[in-house]
Amino acid sequence: MQTITITGGQTLHGTIRPAAAKNSVLPLLAATLLCGAPCCLRNAPELSDVDTSLALLQAVGAKAVRHGPDLCTLPVAAADLCGEIPPHLAGAMRSSVFYLAPLLCRAGMVRLPLPGGCRLGPRPVDIHLAGLAAMGARVELEGEAVTLRRFGPLQGVDFTLRLPSVGATMTLLMAACCAMGTTVLRGAACEPEVCDLARFLRACGAQITGEGTPVLVIQGRRALSGVAYEPLPDRIAAATYAAAVAAAGGQITVEGCAPVYYQAFLQFLTECGVVVEKSDALVTLARDPARRLHGGQHLFANAWPAFATDTAPLAAAVLLEADAPSEIYDHLFANRFACATGFAAMGADCRAAGRMLHIAGGANLQAAAVTAPDLRGGAALLVAALAAQGTTVLRDPGHIRRGYAHLPADVAGLGAQCAVQSQAVQESRKQSI
Ligand code: EPU
């Protein structure tokens, strides 16, 4: 198992640019199954979830490879596609759900064993299934696996999502592109990554209107071609770099990600006392490490455009040493704050109670041995360690690299003392002692 060592107390300086967004690239890769010509996704990060997606595409009969920074796919005949998603690939990431609609549409059936991903609380797929069933799919549940079949083409429907699920909106958007007639999706998610999928599909020939609003209208059965496409920049990675400088102090510029994509997080940092300057696609953030940030924050994480749930643990890391108590409530996930155990081990007075995280503030963080509980919780522990005295050892059972290609190297490039230690290096150190 890899660990990450972080020696706190270094201020950060320099410029950094996030890669393409994980939460765009992963559904776009699934959507390429609908395309009748080659596709290329530019500047795609080297994430383990991307590797898992490429393996999944290969396993179902598609051709997808990495060429340097780009991911390239070739069209595949329906007869060559298999709808069986291998359990080890389904279980390795949540994004295996994005293969439900494309495989159902193209192969006629799909069998998805239990999807994996971060353990953020219950993550049902009932809205995905209800929408696909309304379009005519037969849904069979067997243990933790779901099988979908269609007998004839899917049919366009007028469907209301019971809550604005990002994943279910994407599933139904893809399915609607293949369905006969018009589909209207009401109560749809409005996240930038949903808009990105709509733009990608439209660039391939789909007819979609309304992305970014709760009502999407899709005219189905257009033949989709291929496209060379640059997905959105990763707004959560941008927020992570911003959180890092807020915790450690210094001055950095985040380029290539328009501030509107992480406006709520930048607003929060401003209220904490970080100096934030914004222009078109540049954000400069400065914090004097000698002065405590302002606490007294009451954050409520919810669907776009509210404060993003993925940035809630990062905000917590920033608030641990602040001058007053704060609270963060996560409306979307029941177990968003598993990182609280690690914060407490570093000397923070903070406590998760259901969906609420209470942070007393005023901590003087000390290095500790901590474990990443999930992707964003792991990144938040790394951010907190940048402010702690001494060398923190962050055990990361594969979480951070699911969503950040090189987070330790990124912050080291800004001046942090942060490095990945592989098992082999640790063993040889032990032997030489
Ligand atoms: N939900 C249901 N039924 C469904 C679908 C969702 O009850 O059929 C519930 C979920 O249980 C959750 C809420 O709706 O409580 C929101 O879930 P949503 O479907 O919107 O999230 P997701 O598609 O599973 C994506 C991102 C998450 C991000 C959320 C919210 C991907 C791969 N994941 O998840 O990202 O937190 O949207 O913005 O796109 C991450 O990157 O670390 C991450 C977890």
Side-chain angles (χ1 to χ4, degrees):
M1 187 206 299
Q2 281 191 336
T3 61
I4 299 169
T5 54
I6 310 110
T7 304
Q10 311 294 318
T11 55
L12 305 188
H13 299 274
T15 297
I16 191 154
R17 170 183 286 263
K22 165 181 90 79
N23 291 345
S24 275
V25 170
L26 300 178
L28 293 186
L29 272 175
T32 63
L33 283 173
L34 302 174
C35 296
C39 290
C40 180
L41 304 181
R42 304 242 192 256
N43 187 26
E46 292 173 7
L47 309 175
S48 53
D49 275 8
V50 168
D51 296 340
T52 305
S53 300
L54 295 178
L56 199 161
L57 282 164
Q58 302 271 1
V60 298
K63 297 178 187 72
V65 290
R66 178 178 277 286
H67 281 308
D70 300 338
L71 301 173
C72 303
T73 63
L74 291 176
V76 51
D80 294 335
L81 277 175
C82 148
E84 294 279 346
I85 300 177
H88 70 285
L89 297 175
M93 59 173 188
R94 172 74 183 175
S95 296
S96 50
V97 292
F98 295 132
Y99 291 82
L100 281 175
L103 286 172
L104 174 66
C105 293
R106 295 291 323 284
M109 71 75 70
V110 56
R111 183 169 192 278
L112 176 72
L114 184 69
C118 292
R119 294 200 190 98
L120 304 175
R123 296 180 79 176
V125 291
D126 60 298
I127 307 172
H128 302 244
L129 300 184
L132 293 171
M135 289 180 175
R138 194 173 81 194
V139 179
E140 296 160 18
L141 298 171
E142 178 203 337
E144 290 179 325
V146 57
T147 302
L148 299 176
R149 294 179 206 280
R150 64 174 173 81
F151 305 93
L154 296 179
Q155 300 293 324
V157 283
D158 191 324
F159 182 79
T160 301
L161 285 77
R162 74 172 171 81
L163 55 85
S165 155
V166 173
T169 303
M170 289 175 160
T171 287
L172 300 179
L173 192 50
M174 289 188 268
C177 288
C178 305
M180 299 284 283
T182 304
T183 295
V184 181
L185 299 177
R186 300 179 196 274
C190 303
E191 268 70 2
E193 292 77 14
V194 173
C195 302
D196 211 27
L197 176 63
R199 276 194 296 270
F200 169 84
L201 290 167
R202 202 162 41 226
C204 294
Q207 219 175 320
I208 300 168
T209 54
E211 75 270 21
T213 77
V215 183
L216 289 164
V217 181
I218 305 107
Q219 312 291 338
R221 295 304 263 182
R222 311 271 152 177
L224 299 188
S225 58
V227 68
Y229 190 80
E230 175 116 24
L232 275 183
D234 195 324
R235 62 192 168 104
I236 309 300
T240 306
Y241 305 137
V245 74
Q251 176 169 331
I252 69 163
T253 297
V254 181
E255 63 178 16
C257 183
V260 67
Y261 290 132
Y262 57 128
Q263 175 55 32
F265 196 75
L266 294 174
Q267 180 62 32
F268 151 72
L269 290 179
T270 305
E271 283 164 20
C272 289
V274 177
V275 179
V276 179
E277 283 173 18
K278 297 179 261 181
S279 65
D280 283 357
L282 280 188
V283 177
T284 298
L285 304 111
R287 188 223 153 173
D288 176 357
R291 299 175 62 175
R292 281 196 189 263
L293 293 173
H294 307 310
Q297 308 280 337
H298 299 275
L299 300 174
F300 187 88
N302 205 347
W304 177 270
F307 197 86
T309 171
D310 293 327
T311 63
L314 301 167
V318 170
L319 289 167
L320 300 174
E321 292 192 327
D323 64 4
S326 299
E327 289 174 342
I328 310 179
Y329 185 87
D330 194 301
H331 183 67
L332 296 184
F333 293 112
N335 188 31
R336 182 44 101 179
F337 298 114
C339 52
T341 309
F343 291 150
M346 295 166 80
D349 183 356
C350 76
R351 181 174 56 85
R355 291 166 183 264
M356 181 73 92
L357 183 70
H358 300 275
I359 304 163
N364 289 310
L365 295 175
Q366 303 293 325
V370 295
T371 301
D374 52 57
L375 166 55
R376 306 302 172 189
L381 290 172
L382 188 152
V383 166
L386 295 172
Q389 279 194 357
T391 301
T392 293
V393 177
L394 173 57
R395 288 184 290 263
D396 178 30
H399 288 300
I400 292 180
R401 234 190 53 85
R402 289 194 29 244
Y404 303 85
H406 307 292
L407 185 58
D410 289 347
V411 291
L414 296 170
Q417 256 182 277
C418 181
V420 176
Q421 310 286 336
S422 70
Q423 184 86 48
V425 171
Q426 291 167 41
E427 288 304 323
S428 75
R429 283 219 181 116
K430 265 191 225 153
Q431 281 166 14
S432 64
I433 288 172

